[in-house]
Amino acid sequence: IVSMQKVTKDYHLGKTIVNALKGVDLRVEKGEFICIAGPSGSGKTTLLNLIGCLDKPTSGKVFLDEDDVERLNDNQLSRLRAERIGFIFQSFNLIPVLSALENTEYPLLLKGVARQSRKKKVLAMLEEVELANFAGHRPDQLSGGQRQRVAIARALVTDPEIILADEPTANLDSKTGETIVELMKKINEEMNSTFIFSTHDSMVMKYAHRLIHLQDGRIA
Amino acid sequence: IVSMQKVTKDYHLGKTIVNALKGVDLRVEKGEFICIAGPSGSGKTTLLNLIGCLDKPTSGKVFLDEDDVERLNDNQLSRLRAERIGFIFQSFNLIPVLSALENTEYPLLLKGVARQSRKKKVLAMLEEVELANFAGHRPDQLSGGQRQRVAIARALVTDPEIILADEPTANLDSKTGETIVELMKKINEEMNSTFIFSTHDSMVMKYAHRLIHLQDGRIA
Ligand SMILES: Nc1ncnc2c1ncn2[C@@H]1O[C@H](COP(=O)(O)OP(=O)(O)OP(=O)(O)O)[C@@H](O)[C@H]1O
Ligand SMILES: Nc1ncnc2c1ncn2[C@@H]1O[C@H](COP(=O)(O)OP(=O)(O)OP(=O)(O)O)[C@@H](O)[C@H]1O
Ligand SMILES: [Mg+2]
Ligand SMILES: [Mg+2]
């Protein structure tokens, strides 16, 4: 479902160049549950951003289902992201003025899902991440781990084909983290969705079909 | 050095009240290295914010060195925070327009430290957190774990008496996390500074003199 060929990514800062990815080849099949592990600064977020079409490689190719994403125009990319990919960001990227419920609901609004169906899915999802009692709280009225779970709910509520999760349990205690990963595993098995996670958490890694080690911009 | 007596903290949201802390008694001696563990939403950040005088309890008393913090005026509180407490925030709270170096330098500017001494301390601290090569990067040009380490550098650079660290290794891989905790332990031993951490990381807990379990707003 996802394929990368000799992908590099460089960031330019005045005279400095940071080579975040230095030639990555990767192939992910539909329904896989993959973890990407690696030290801080090794390129995990960069890699996920490229897979999720949130950024472009410096060189090399990214394919989604045999489509070269470089050939897609902005509308096609936006639609692809809205309809097929759920993203759990490392810094959550919640909308500060919306409540937990409204943040979770937002991608369904974008997809034009009807109100009754929308409300039902959102409340069910908030229950799954154990935040039903916090539906009305804005992000600044939630703990760090609660915000992370809203980000998770929002990414999963549209039942996307591909879920990219950037360190989804970093701010969660072990028990809550395990609840979340088991939820994701359940979704993966029932819906054959593809999960690609970055993580430092050895508990999360145990669930993976495949573990990819990233080291200094390369797959080790 | 820190004492809390029957401290409660309630957050009011329209008709809803969240009882984040429900009667906490705590005493921390100078030079202790304490970890606070607990599930997401159990009150860790709330507790650290009260110790750090960033917020006020709903009821009960917080003392720093026998001074009731409620009796201190705003100037006294600001000075206390600037001169005696280093804080590593869960969401880092870096200044987006400043580089890693400038963010780390900022508390020294506030203290009026001379330029030569300032530069020397900042560069030494960035070395300690393994970010010397990223001194010129702004926060949006850094990875999640790199931003966290800038937050750590900034908190430690003034050699504060009390360091409050809210999940300081959440975004770090094991090896980088261990490097950081060992740095903190070294500072604790050499300078007899007091460290109070919240954490979910069992590796960090191993270093603690004392482990406090917070559960649903109370110390278990
Ligand atoms: N926008 C940017 N501008 C400049 N450099 C960047 C940018 N984003 C990332 N980098 C650099 O690219 C490298 C890889 O960053 P990336 O965020 O992919 O790492 P990571 O593996 O996710 O790290 P972490 O575990 O700390 O989140 C790092 O050295 C980082 O400083
Ligand atoms: N500003 C706020 N307004 C309303 N409720 C809040 C606010 N800050 C925290 N809370 C609530 O108080 C409770 C304790 O929050 P706190 O941030 O102290 O938890 P925590 O133990 O740090 O959690 P985590 O491990 O997820 O960071 C939570 O239920 C949270 O939703
Ligand atoms: Mg990252
Ligand atoms: Mg917290």
Side-chain angles (χ1 to χ4, degrees), chain B residues 45-198:
Chain B
T45 297
T46 301
L47 182 60
L48 287 175
N49 284 346
L50 294 181
I51 294 171
C53 308
L54 296 170
D55 204 355
K56 292 177 187 278
T58 305
S59 68
K61 297 273 175 192
V62 180
F63 294 87
L64 280 179
D65 285 335
E66 319 305 330
D67 290 329
D68 181 352
V69 297
E70 196 171 13
R71 293 171 185 258
L72 302 179
N73 65 36
D74 284 350
N75 279 336
Q76 287 167 320
L77 282 171
S78 284
R79 197 154 74 241
L80 190 152
R81 284 194 295 265
E83 297 185 2
R84 297 181 65 197
I85 302 176
F87 209 123
I88 303 165
F89 295 94
Q90 195 170 10
S91 48
F92 322 144
N93 290 16
L94 299 178
I95 300 169
V97 300
L98 298 183
S99 68
L101 187 146
E102 292 163 334
N103 263 288
T104 306
E105 183 184 36
Y106 193 68
L108 296 175
L109 280 171
L110 294 181
K111 285 182 83 171
V113 174
R115 186 171 177 276
Q116 282 277 55
S117 181
R118 225 172 48 231
K119 294 292 182 189
K120 183 176 168 194
K121 286 175 79 71
V122 166
L123 291 175
M125 185 54 65
L126 287 175
E127 279 276 351
E128 293 262 25
V129 299
E130 302 177 345
L131 285 179
N133 293 337
F134 294 87
H137 289 224
R138 285 191 325 274
D140 65 348
Q141 299 163 330
L142 292 168
S143 80
Q146 288 165 342
R147 291 189 208 128
Q148 188 158 49
R149 284 182 273 150
V150 173
I152 290 163
R154 183 183 64 184
L156 298 178
V157 81
T158 56
D159 299 316
E161 278 178 66
I162 305 169
I163 295 100
L164 307 175
D166 203 351
E167 312 220 21
T169 61
N171 286 277
L172 304 179
D173 57 283
S174 297
K175 188 166 174 249
T176 308
E178 196 139 15
T179 298
I180 293 300
V181 176
E182 288 186 352
L183 166 64
M184 292 182 185
K185 192 70 178 172
K186 181 175 98 172
I187 292 168
N188 165 254
E189 290 167 354
E190 289 177 357
M191 305 185 75
N192 206 30
S193 342
T194 308
F195 278 77
I196 309 174
F197 284 65
S198 74

Side-chain angles (χ1 to χ4, degrees), chain A residues 36 38-41 44-45 48 88-92 148 152 164-172 196-201 204, chain B residues 144-145 169-173:
Chain A
I36 303 172
S40 176
K44 299 179 300 298
T45 297
L48 287 174
I88 302 164
F89 294 94
Q90 195 170 8
S91 47
F92 323 144
Q148 190 158 46
I152 290 162
L164 307 176
D166 202 352
E167 312 220 23
T169 60
N171 286 279
L172 304 179
I196 309 174
F197 283 65
S198 75
T199 191
H200 301 300
D201 190 339
V204 174
Chain B
T169 61
N171 286 277
L172 304 179
D173 57 283

